[in-house]
Amino acid sequence: MRLGQRLGAEMFGTFWLVLGGCGSAVLAAGFPQLGIGFAGVALAFGLTVLTMAYAIGHISGCHLNPAVSIGLTVAGRFPARDLVPYIVAQVVGGVIGAYVLSVIASGAPGFDLVASGFATNGYGDHSPGHYTMIAALVCEVVMTFFFLFVILGATDSRAPAGFAPIAIGLCLTLIHLISIPVTNTSVNPARSTGPALFVGGAAVEQLWLFWVAPIIGAIIAGVVYPLLTGAKKRALSAA
């Protein structure tokens, strides 16, 4: 598959992740009497990855996440030469997804993009549970580590074929169920960047953590998984 096609798949996939996941938080989570709540948002994020893994996994590997691409590169599952183009495509997709979501959300009477939070990630006063920066950092590192560990395990050549998207989607759902109160859950720099750029202020000022922590967690998983399991380095054909 040509690089351009793979980058297009990553862009559209990340667009879907932000529109579906963040959209569920912005449009549906708090809707009077019918809101889907934290559990619904967690499931929505998991479903975006599950559906896209089946739709584009055979095209680009369905990373949808700079931290995932970096972790797979460290683990020897993804060529380093394609890393920067993948990250750019993912961030562009996340920004476009956030833009489309802002257009839809702004159609509601009285909607205030900044006041709503727009599903941005944060710590301290900008954490849903007012968790500290250290708590947020540890949470994001650990959650991303396990996300990458599951991805590497589910896509291992020794794992049952065809079930990887289900395991990965459910893992992301579980991660959100644990960490939405802490950081609003990132584990994905592209997902964090899109909404933050539209809200500005503290969302952008705190964005560094939601790049640094997921990347650290992904790198650790990329090192630990092959050492722990004896997995051979190979190209990842589908997530």
Side-chain angles (χ1 to χ4, degrees):
M1 196 68 67
R2 294 194 302 272
L3 179 61
Q5 293 173 307
R6 290 187 283 134
L7 296 181
E10 285 296 302
M11 184 184 71
F12 280 110
T14 312
F15 169 96
W16 181 236
L17 184 145
V18 170
L19 183 61
C22 296
S24 70
V26 173
L27 304 176
F31 201 83
Q33 298 181 339
L34 297 174
I36 61 175
F38 282 1
V41 173
L43 182 60
F45 271 101
L47 288 174
T48 62
V49 171
L50 189 155
T51 53
M52 273 296 131
Y54 279 117
I56 66 169
H58 56 287
I59 299 172
S60 68
C62 190
H63 301 182
L64 316 185
N65 182 338
V68 169
S69 296
I70 291 170
L72 293 174
T73 301
V74 171
R77 300 279 196 93
F78 185 68
R81 66 178 181 275
D82 293 341
L83 181 57
V84 172
Y86 259 57
I87 291 173
V88 171
Q90 291 155 0
V91 172
V92 169
V95 172
I96 296 173
Y99 170 72
V100 171
L101 178 58
S102 72
V103 172
I104 296 170
S106 297
F111 177 78
D112 188 313
L113 190 146
V114 175
S116 73
F118 202 52
T120 53
N121 303 112
Y123 53 84
D125 290 340
H126 302 283
S127 156
H130 300 283
Y131 284 80
T132 66
M133 182 185 74
I134 296 300
L137 182 68
V138 171
C139 184
E140 288 289 325
V141 169
V142 172
M143 294 301 151
T144 312
F145 168 85
F146 278 102
F147 189 39
L148 260 293
F149 197 89
V150 169
I151 289 172
L152 290 166
T155 57
D156 195 305
S157 59
R158 299 166 294 181
F163 294 99
I166 298 172
I168 295 167
L170 290 176
C171 179
L172 189 60
T173 298
L174 175 58
I175 285 169
H176 279 77
L177 288 172
I178 297 167
S179 60
I180 285 177
V182 184
T183 62
N184 223 14
T185 311
S186 172
V187 303
N188 183 338
R191 169 264 184 270
S192 297
T193 299
L197 293 180
F198 287 87
V199 172
V204 171
E205 292 169 5
Q206 296 186 357
L207 184 59
W208 66 270
L209 187 144
F210 302 102
W211 276 84
V212 172
I215 289 173
I216 290 173
I219 289 173
I220 296 172
V223 172
V224 169
Y225 184 83
L227 291 176
L228 186 65
T229 66
K232 296 179 180 180
K233 294 185 175 183
R234 64 176 181 81
L236 181 66
S237 59

